[in-house]
Amino acid sequence: MPIPPEVTGEEIDPDVRQELMSLPKGLAEDVARNLVMVAQLIDEEPEKAYEYSRIALRLASRVAAVREAAGFAAYATQKYAEALAEFRAARRMTGSVELWPVMADCERGLGRPERALAMAGEPEVQKLDKAGQVEMRLVAAGARRDMGQLDAAIVTLQSPELASNAHHAWTARLRYAYADALLAADREAEAREWFAKALEADKDGSTDASDRLAELDGVEFVDAFEDEDEDEAPSEDVRAEDGDERDGDKA
């Protein structure tokens, strides 16, 4: 696949660049450029990101960062079995537990929420940093909901991190998940409160908390341009009258 000439591979994370130093220079550059494309496209064009990740994988399958990137690209395109295999490979290479939550979420994607829940109780979770532990909590709550255990999902999300007034990268998502679970349990007033709290922490628009709040408040958004087009378009009656007048002029 073509890569824009302005993509040099130097944009890659320094830690990843360090890993690629085990490869011959030209090969390392090719792999780096493909990994940059994965990073640039994974949110907006995940299928294309996946294609670039496969190229990188063919070039350097023994590099942990490549296996991890391939895993995330497969995950973004809902190829959960493939993603899980890549994440497991990366974990074997590095010994790191940081991929544990997304591995558990792959189990959910494969229709195995009970496995995801079992992973939430494994010792690996205690080795995660705070962000990883919050992510694991979100996955566990999702698994509970998959299994129809809505009340248990709500309890799972109730934590010191949820109660904290401090804002972290994961705060908005945690509050949003809690609000969504409350709403599913028909606890609308509480849900509205937590959607508002999620919005307060959502500085980069990672959730649609504002839309959910508006929906709860009964607010309907109208496309102003559509209204203008309707106002400008003549009605059938007006067009008919215009036609009659033109016909009269001709007579």
Side-chain angles (χ1 to χ4, degrees):
M1 290 183 67
I3 297 176
E6 62 269 20
V7 174
T8 65
E10 292 298 317
E11 305 89 340
I12 207 76
D13 183 272
D15 291 338
V16 177
R17 189 181 300 116
Q18 184 69 31
E19 281 193 63
L20 296 179
M21 287 180 68
S22 62
L23 302 173
K25 188 174 186 297
L27 179 58
E29 289 177 357
D30 288 343
V31 174
R33 293 181 73 212
N34 278 283
L35 292 181
V36 170
M37 295 304 296
V38 173
Q40 288 183 353
L41 295 169
I42 196 165
D43 291 330
E44 302 298 329
E45 299 182 81
E47 290 291 347
K48 285 187 178 180
Y50 174 77
E51 292 177 24
Y52 283 107
S53 77
R54 300 308 295 177
I55 295 171
L57 193 59
R58 286 198 298 272
L59 294 172
S61 62
R62 295 185 181 182
V63 176
V66 172
R67 303 303 289 265
E68 184 175 327
F72 277 110
Y75 179 80
T77 53
Q78 300 183 3
K79 297 177 177 66
Y80 297 116
E82 190 176 315
L84 185 57
E86 297 300 341
F87 290 142
R88 283 173 174 166
R91 183 167 180 265
R92 283 195 300 271
M93 292 174 178
T94 64
S96 172
V97 298
E98 67 178 16
L99 293 172
W100 196 254
V102 72
M103 289 168 64
D105 206 40
C106 285
E107 294 287 7
R108 285 186 62 211
L110 290 167
R112 302 190 294 240
E114 68 286 348
R115 292 195 188 182
L117 208 54
M119 290 179 70
E122 293 292 334
E124 283 82 354
V125 177
Q126 302 308 314
K127 300 175 185 176
L128 294 167
D129 61 13
K130 182 61 68 177
Q133 289 180 4
V134 169
E135 196 65 36
M136 194 69 241
R137 189 177 292 276
L138 287 167
V139 173
R144 290 288 189 189
R145 291 189 66 170
D146 294 343
M147 298 165 72
Q149 301 172 2
L150 184 55
D151 289 341
I154 292 172
V155 171
T156 298
L157 293 168
Q158 291 170 346
S159 61
E161 293 82 14
L162 180 68
S164 173
N165 290 322
H167 289 178
H168 301 278
W170 38 261
T171 301
R173 292 178 58 241
L174 180 60
R175 292 177 178 180
Y176 182 95
Y178 188 58
D180 191 55
L182 289 169
L183 188 60
D186 295 324
R187 294 163 62 175
E188 188 171 310
E190 293 172 86
R192 193 198 180 288
E193 176 188 350
W194 282 97
F195 277 128
K197 289 182 177 181
L199 180 60
E200 179 184 88
D202 194 0
K203 303 304 181 187
D204 58 358
S206 62
T207 74
D208 64 347
S210 59
D211 293 340
R212 301 296 296 276
L213 270 174
E215 186 179 329
L216 285 171
D217 291 340
V219 176
E220 293 186 11
F221 295 101
V222 178
D223 190 328
F225 293 105
E226 186 176 316
D227 284 353
E228 287 177 7
D229 291 342
E230 289 176 357
D231 290 341
E232 291 172 4
S235 66
E236 291 294 335
D237 292 341
V238 171
R239 285 197 294 269
E241 290 174 5
D242 288 346
D244 291 343
E245 290 176 1
R246 284 194 293 272
D247 290 343
D249 292 340
K250 290 177 184 176

